[in-house]
Amino acid sequence: MQNKITKAIFPVAGLGTRFLPATKSIPKEIMSLVDRPLIQYAIDEARAAGIKEFIFVTSRGKSALEDYFDHAPHLEAELKKKGKDDLLEELKKTVMDSGRIAYIRQQKPLGLGHAVWCARRLIGDEPFAVILPDDIIAAEKPCLQQMVEAFEENPGNMVAAMEVPADRAHAYGILDVKEDMGSLVSVKGMVEKPKPGTQPSNLAVIGRYLLTPQILENLEAKETGAGGEIQLTDAIAHEITEGRDVFGFRFNGQRFDCGSKSGYLQATVSFALSRPELRDDLMEFLQTVVNMDQAAQ
Ligand code: UTP
């Protein structure tokens, strides 16, 4: 098995029910933070980590996503005519090279593990990355790049990990830690969405994974787990029972759960504040809102 990771799977076939009715006709991944859709952040992160092949697991109603990665001849011609070169440059970054992007349909939303399994023929016998675009990570060095560097030294299944408050552990896959080595932890078990109070640690799995091809074979069993779904966590945990390495990686960066309304709003504010042209106005507005809210209490 080669150690270099050049392929990434982007599972985007979920229903996005937490954002209904918006997601009735707009894929969650096309929703924007300021002026860039969530999926663009995920693609940029993958590119920075050396990913060359981008595999999307999609479902019905996601054609806006395919269009986003394509040329927009009419728009491009219009921008050219008006001399808007900076916008043309921005648009160029959204177009994916032919043959470097593939779309696979997940016909039923049977779970994240199933979505990853759907891409098995395009992965073959190579380690690969999985990126969940609704987990946005603001970091100086992009999270996946941090992980790829750690993987080169410690080849083995690796999941991004983050401390969460004990009363939120039930919403995540949680690691049972064998040895804590600082940014890297070796793992002796994983539980998806543990019942409150039963979590083996406060270290939660976040939506970035580097996986060995054996995971795809584990997913062949199509066993359902938490929530009646085929869970990726279970297929990774199976590796531990087979005596193979699984690591958690404590990344540097701030993660926003953009699959939830509150996380999405926080990310919007945070990303807007990081833009010099927006910062002052927004800060002033936020201060006014806080002052008015405090005065009203
Ligand atoms: P979520 O748990 O956030 O589910 O999936 P969701 O459907 O996107 O959103 P809600 O909970 O209904 O609001 C995590 C990731 O796994 C993908 C999703 O698209 C998302 O990127 N996924 C989930 C699939 O591709 N297929 C599935 O069957 C389930």
Side-chain angles (χ1 to χ4, degrees), residues 11-18 28-29 106 109-112 115 132-134 259:
V12 291
L15 297 174
T17 53
R18 283 170 289 172
K28 177 166 67 173
E29 301 72 26
Q106 186 190 27
L110 297 178
L112 176 59
L132 305 190
D134 48 7

Side-chain angles (χ1 to χ4, degrees), residues 66-243:
E66 295 192 29
D67 289 342
Y68 177 77
F69 291 122
D70 210 340
H71 280 286
H74 191 65
L75 185 58
E76 285 164 25
E78 205 55 32
L79 291 173
K80 209 168 186 175
K81 208 164 78 189
K82 292 189 171 143
K84 299 202 166 168
D85 295 341
D86 47 341
L87 287 178
L88 267 172
E89 253 335 281
E90 276 302 311
L91 276 195
K92 251 192 211 160
K93 293 180 206 156
T94 66
V95 177
M96 304 291 280
D97 292 347
S98 298
R100 297 253 175 234
I101 187 162
Y103 301 95
I104 299 280
R105 274 277 177 121
Q106 186 190 27
Q107 283 150 337
K108 288 185 191 160
L110 297 178
L112 176 59
H114 181 260
V116 168
W117 174 82
C118 287
R120 67 202 177 282
R121 301 229 185 279
L122 292 177
I123 294 295
D125 191 29
E126 292 176 32
F128 59 99
V130 175
I131 298 186
L132 305 190
D134 48 7
D135 265 339
I136 293 282
I137 300 171
E140 215 161 285
K141 183 185 280 187
C143 178
L144 199 72
Q145 189 182 349
Q146 296 175 37
M147 291 176 72
V148 162
E149 286 172 10
F151 181 89
E152 278 163 9
E153 284 178 23
N154 298 278
N157 297 287
M158 192 178 287
V159 298
M162 178 184 97
E163 312 278 350
V164 294
D167 63 354
R168 293 294 306 143
H170 65 89
Y172 294 89
I174 298 288
L175 302 181
D176 193 354
V177 176
K178 182 163 78 182
E179 192 188 351
D180 197 330
M181 299 168 279
S183 58
L184 216 58
V185 299
S186 70
V187 173
K188 64 174 181 225
M190 291 169 84
V191 202
E192 184 60 40
K193 300 192 173 60
K195 293 205 169 66
T198 66
Q199 67 271 18
S201 78
N202 284 354
L203 212 46
V205 178
I206 301 305
R208 304 285 182 277
Y209 309 78
L210 299 179
L211 301 174
T212 55
Q214 182 62 40
I215 296 291
L216 299 170
E217 279 181 40
N218 300 352
L219 285 167
E220 283 289 340
K222 301 212 187 68
E223 275 170 29
T224 52
E229 295 194 340
I230 300 170
Q231 297 287 355
L232 184 58
T233 313
D234 295 342
I236 302 171
H238 188 76
E239 286 299 275
I240 304 170
T241 55
E242 293 294 316

